[in-house]
Amino acid sequence: MNAAIQQLNNAFSLIAPEAVLLAAVCLIFFAAPFLVNERGEAPVGLRHRWGCLSLLALLLASCVWWQSPPVTRTLGPFVLDELTWYIRGLTLTFGAILVLLHWNQADDARSAESHACLLAILAGVNLIAASNDLVGLFVALELVSIPTYLFLLLPRRDAPAQEATLKYFLLSIFSSAIVLFGMSYLYGATGTTNLSGIHAAFSAASDHRANPLVAVATVMLIAGLGFRLTAVPFHFYAPDVFQGAPTSAAAMLSFVPKIAGFVALLRLMVPATGAEQAMNPWTMTPAAIPLLWWLAVATMFVGNLMALMQTDIRRLLAYSSVSHAGYMMVGLIVGMAHEHQKADVLATVSPNSVSGIGAMLFYLAVYGAMTLGTFAVLIAAARTDKRIESFDDLSGLSRTRPAMALLLAIFLFSLAGLPPTAGFLGKLNLFFAAWSQGTVEGQESYKWLAVILAINAALGAWYYLKIIGVMFLREPINRSQQDTVIETPSLIAAGLCLVGTLGLFFLPGWLWVPIQSIMP
Amino acid sequence: MDWSKENELLVIPLLLGCFAVWWLMPSAKKRPRIVGVLAGLAACIMIQGMLLPQAGDYIRSVLFFVFAAAAVISAGLMITDRNPVYSALWFALVTLSVCGLFLLNAAPFLSAATIIVYAGAIIVTFLFVIMLAQQAGTATSYDQQPIQPLMATVVGFILLGVLLFTLQEWGAIDGTSTNEHAEPRQFIAVPAEIQPNPLSQAPHDNPHEIGSLRVLGRSLFGDYLFAVEIAGTVLLIATIGAIAIAPRRAQGTL
């Protein structure tokens, strides 16, 4: 009893960075109404102050994050292991970039609430990574999705934004219900909501026949979380929402829900201690792997083939984010299959081979840098009267704004997976992880997965190169120098993403070393 | 062939029920409702043998059938009713019947909470929204007729079928199910030495206390303290967001 209370008292120190972020959210919510008058007008330039405050909160949270290293896992409500630590670093870094992207997207009067929502979303992702309980995991997932609805609608109130928000809202609620259904079956099969307890129960039952309840839970959880990953067939909202939502919200949607979904899947399906889970029919892995295999193949093909047909740059990026979710799912599947192997089978694989989950986590960071960079250039290259929508808006960009065109070209090269960018390294890691798992006897299907990944990388290169062709080979249409705006925050964000995209190619060990400590 | 013979108890009522719901769906041309009603009743009667609770307690069986029949019939009416207001009210009845089943299974708190949350809050909100959306009073077609009645019915019954089939496979339904290889340990408990969520367990000196308010409070504000706090934060954001989204008086309505 006393030990339990002690554990609860200690739990707060495990989520200190999130507490900082949520305190900042409360502060902004409380202070904002006093600075806006009754007609809804705010002093000019107020948004800069809210942006600075958000950055300050993220900086403070980062300091706390840096000073709270991973600790041993307990049965308490939160865990702070290497995975939590890594994901926290990822969200805080890319959170700062998202704040910069969002800087001028909302008007002065609504900037406060939308920045607060962004901080709440980031805190929610961190809490998903830290949660050790089904209830806490679900509440953290809601802490991501409910502020997202506001974040989509607050900056702009026109009809497309309303339609996008409503579509996202309805489908997101539906997916939350499915996740909850799956969690209830998981609770029914094991009798506890504690994730460590659930995995302990699984390993205690390893000599029993597989339980259909766990299989139902697995299918439901993958279906519900697949919505956040934009896995096919749960992707169909993505193009409409990306097209209608403000650019910064589209950037957020292309990246943050993917971290949330992948981390939630990792927490639910991959136990912290791998050894006793090997060949256990009671875990979620036997049901999850075939399902995820087909979902990943469908996601890669549908994302890339649909992207080939798009003429709207946002819809194209939406389908591109779908296909990248497919690439990352390959890493997840390979990692889960690896965890499920017996040790003597694993000994036949060369010890230097890349771990699937590590490759996925590496690709997640790389994908964040390159996709947020693309959106940053789209914001920075917009004109005063019109944001960038179709390919025509980009045509001849190399003549009118050569630096922008070069930046965008680098990010697109990285998305296509061409050297010398980090996207190349990320795809190579995923390919090698899948291929080396495929060399294990009886696991040849992973070789096919690697081949399909390679085919899709080639398909993807086609449409990214098409955009580059439009920028560099076509004549500019009605573009003059006068109506461009200087978007300093987005330019800074694009610069940071550029550092990430190129830097991770030349110094990948900088990210790879912390990742390797996550999966032994 | 073997498979279909083994599972005909499950498959035939499902097909009948699917047909009944599809037949009763509101549609442009009038169908005689009696056909659907008969098919639905036949489906319910055929499947009730599978769902029978453990034999023995007479009162318990009667109560189970009353609540279960009320839940299934109200659910069917909720889906097939042409008027959305009536659908919301049927949904309230479904919730109340299911709460009765919860009470039968010795879950009084769950039952009370479900009544408060669903019947008290959610359905009232539904009614508000429906009435606000239909202010003009004109009978528009978009909420009078389903867009994809066949697809929706078939997919819904496939889901139901898969769930029922899984539960039958699991073998916990009852002795009359076709599962020959029921194992005694279909549940697996967490190993005793681990003790997750210790504050939610009944105290050692009084194991009967598990359903009491004291244990509930200790669980909610002990093991789940942080979940409750985060849920409070989510509600705060939702409330402030609703205020921020609503247009100001000076800006006119949406």
Side-chain angles (χ1 to χ4, degrees):
Chain A
M1 182 63 135
N2 287 330
I5 290 169
Q6 187 71 28
Q7 211 168 55
L8 278 176
N9 286 338
N10 292 341
F12 187 74
S13 67
L14 301 181
I15 53 161
E18 285 78 69
V20 171
L21 287 181
L22 289 176
V25 169
C26 292
L27 177 72
I28 296 178
F29 272 153
F30 183 74
F34 292 102
L35 300 175
V36 179
N37 71 12
E38 206 162 310
R39 284 192 302 283
E41 293 155 350
V44 179
L46 188 64
R47 61 176 187 275
H48 301 306
R49 273 191 253 165
W50 294 124
C52 289
L53 187 61
S54 296
L55 280 184
L56 192 71
L58 283 170
L59 193 70
L60 251 175
S62 305
C63 290
V64 179
W65 161 69
W66 193 251
Q67 288 177 351
S68 49
V71 293
T72 28
R73 205 183 162 101
T74 61
L75 282 169
F78 297 113
V79 282
L80 175 52
D81 55 5
E82 281 80 4
L83 178 66
T84 316
W85 192 83
Y86 173 76
I87 293 294
R88 232 173 229 170
L90 214 59
T91 39
L92 292 173
T93 316
F94 287 109
I97 290 172
L98 280 169
V99 168
L100 289 173
L101 289 187
H102 192 60
W103 202 281
N104 286 326
Q105 292 280 304
D107 58 8
D108 289 316
R110 298 188 188 282
S111 161
E113 279 87 2
S114 52
H115 273 298
C117 286
L118 184 55
L119 293 184
I121 292 167
L122 298 173
V125 176
N126 286 348
L127 284 172
I128 292 171
S131 62
N132 191 26
D133 195 283
L134 289 180
V135 179
L137 187 67
F138 179 73
V139 176
L141 279 168
E142 286 306 292
L143 190 58
V144 176
S145 52
I146 287 180
T148 303
Y149 315 144
L150 297 171
F151 191 67
L152 286 175
L153 189 57
L154 276 175
R156 281 195 312 139
R157 308 284 296 270
D158 50 1
Q162 283 180 7
E163 188 192 326
T165 312
L166 202 64
K167 274 180 183 161
Y168 189 81
F169 173 67
L170 291 173
L171 287 169
S172 169
I173 287 181
F174 190 54
S175 80
S176 296
I178 293 174
V179 168
L180 212 50
F181 191 88
M183 285 181 175
S184 71
Y185 267 59
L186 205 54
Y187 173 67
T190 55
T192 178
T193 59
N194 191 299
L195 280 173
S196 304
I198 287 173
H199 291 305
F202 281 168
S203 48
S206 56
D207 50 343
H208 288 256
R209 213 160 52 97
N211 189 341
L213 287 191
V214 180
V216 171
T218 312
V219 173
M220 291 291 171
L221 286 169
I222 289 177
L225 292 171
F227 168 85
R228 285 165 207 277
L229 306 179
T230 61
V232 173
F234 314 106
H235 72 290
F236 43 82
Y237 71 96
D240 292 353
V241 175
F242 275 48
Q243 194 180 16
T247 314
S248 58
M252 194 280 290
L253 276 185
S254 71
F255 180 56
V256 176
K258 284 197 179 45
I259 316 181
F262 278 116
V263 173
L265 280 178
L266 276 181
R267 277 276 173 249
L268 284 165
M269 299 193 177
V270 183
T273 51
E276 65 263 35
Q277 301 293 328
M279 302 309 278
N280 181 352
W282 252 74
T283 54
M284 293 195 253
T285 315
I289 284 185
L291 185 63
L292 280 174
W293 198 94
W294 285 106
L295 281 186
V297 171
T299 306
M300 286 190 281
F301 272 117
V302 171
N304 279 319
L305 292 176
M306 293 299 285
L308 281 178
M309 293 191 270
Q310 304 304 318
T311 52
D312 185 298
I313 188 101
R314 287 147 195 285
R315 291 183 80 86
L316 187 147
L317 283 173
Y319 281 113
S320 132
S321 90
V322 171
S323 65
H324 284 273
Y327 304 147
M328 287 184 259
M329 279 162 80
V330 171
L332 180 71
I333 299 161
V334 171
M336 282 170 66
H338 187 81
E339 297 284 310
H340 203 60
Q341 291 291 318
K342 278 210 171 85
D344 52 336
V345 183
L346 285 183
T348 60
V349 187
S350 82
N352 309 335
S353 64
V354 188
S355 103
I357 290 172
M360 184 202 93
L361 291 171
F362 183 80
Y363 198 79
L364 203 56
V366 170
Y367 170 72
M370 56 203 190
T371 196
L372 292 187
T374 312
F375 279 105
V377 176
L378 287 188
I379 291 174
R383 283 180 287 168
T384 39
D385 53 336
K386 190 170 176 294
R387 56 189 197 147
I388 291 175
E389 275 160 2
S390 64
F391 280 10
D392 289 344
D393 295 330
L394 282 175
S395 77
L397 195 68
S398 62
R399 316 278 168 79
T400 49
R401 306 184 77 175
M404 291 287 174
L406 191 65
L407 262 177
L408 189 52
I410 291 171
F411 291 131
L412 291 173
F413 264 126
S414 183
L415 282 168
L418 301 173
T421 53
F424 167 72
L425 219 54
K427 283 210 178 73
L428 204 66
N429 273 337
L430 287 172
F431 180 83
F432 278 140
W435 189 265
S436 63
Q437 185 68 27
T439 56
V440 179
E441 206 184 326
Q443 308 261 323
E444 281 75 20
S445 64
Y446 299 105
K447 246 180 203 170
W448 282 107
L449 210 53
V451 171
I452 291 170
L453 192 147
I455 294 172
N456 274 285
L459 274 177
W462 174 257
Y463 55 84
Y464 294 124
L465 293 180
K466 199 164 76 178
I467 304 179
I468 295 177
V470 167
M471 286 193 302
F472 283 86
L473 301 177
R474 273 207 224 157
E475 291 298 316
I477 303 175
N478 299 331
R479 276 192 90 94
S480 56
Q481 285 286 354
Q482 283 84 6
D483 57 1
T484 53
V485 280
I486 304 297
E487 272 274 1
T488 321
S490 296
L491 281 177
I492 297 172
L496 290 174
C497 291
L498 182 72
V499 170
T501 310
L502 293 180
L504 284 178
F505 178 76
F506 293 107
L507 299 166
W510 186 77
L511 194 63
W512 193 248
V513 171
I515 286 176
Q516 292 222 302
S517 66
I518 294 173
M519 289 294 149
Chain B
M1 209 58 226
D2 275 355
W3 186 87
S4 62
K5 207 164 218 161
E6 264 177 39
N7 293 294
E8 63 188 2
L9 247 176
L10 198 60
V11 173
I12 295 173
L14 277 173
L15 288 176
L16 265 178
C18 185
F19 169 74
V21 170
W22 172 76
W23 185 270
L24 289 172
M25 282 271 186
S27 73
K29 54 175 195 266
K30 285 268 177 233
R31 300 195 187 108
R33 288 179 75 92
I34 184 75
V35 178
V37 172
L38 284 179
L41 281 180
C44 290
I45 290 168
M46 282 176 75
I47 209 163
Q48 56 90 19
M50 272 189 67
L51 305 174
L52 212 63
Q54 293 282 323
D57 199 342
Y58 176 67
I59 303 282
R60 197 185 144 84
S61 302
V62 169
L63 282 175
F64 171 80
F65 275 114
V66 168
F67 285 130
V72 172
I73 292 171
S74 328
L77 285 166
M78 175 192 121
I79 298 170
T80 54
D81 207 298
R82 203 175 280 270
N83 189 334
V85 178
Y86 286 176
S87 284
L89 293 174
W90 284 121
F91 182 52
L93 211 56
V94 174
T95 317
L96 289 178
S97 319
V98 172
C99 288
L101 291 177
F102 287 158
L103 268 184
L104 276 183
N105 285 304
F109 175 74
L110 184 60
S111 166
T114 311
I115 289 179
I116 292 168
V117 172
Y118 277 90
I122 292 182
I123 289 166
V124 172
T125 318
F126 273 177
L127 289 176
F128 266 117
V129 171
I130 291 168
M131 285 169 179
L132 283 174
Q134 290 187 326
Q135 266 177 334
T138 50
T140 45
S141 62
Y142 73 91
D143 55 358
Q144 300 279 321
Q145 271 181 31
I147 299 171
Q148 291 260 2
L150 187 63
M151 283 289 282
T153 317
V154 168
V155 170
F157 272 87
I158 287 175
L159 180 64
L160 181 66
V162 170
L163 288 179
L164 279 179
F165 183 75
T166 315
L167 290 175
Q168 187 197 27
E169 181 103 321
W170 186 51
I173 294 181
D174 84 295
T176 64
S177 76
T178 51
N179 187 349
E180 300 278 321
H181 317 285
E183 282 181 40
R185 285 181 70 192
Q186 298 285 4
F187 290 100
I188 200 78
V190 181
E193 71 275 8
I194 286 191
Q195 277 206 344
N197 298 344
L199 296 175
S200 310
Q201 314 297 330
H204 291 295
D205 48 345
N206 189 4
H208 296 295
E209 217 189 308
I210 185 70
S212 72
L213 269 182
R214 182 157 159 262
V215 175
L216 178 75
R218 251 189 13 201
S219 169
L220 206 56
F221 298 103
D223 288 325
Y224 298 105
L225 175 67
F226 287 96
V228 170
E229 294 295 331
I230 298 168
T233 317
V234 172
L235 287 180
L236 172 81
I237 292 169
T239 319
I240 293 186
I243 298 168
I245 282 182
R248 289 168 188 274
R249 201 165 286 155
Q251 293 167 332
T253 52
L254 278 173

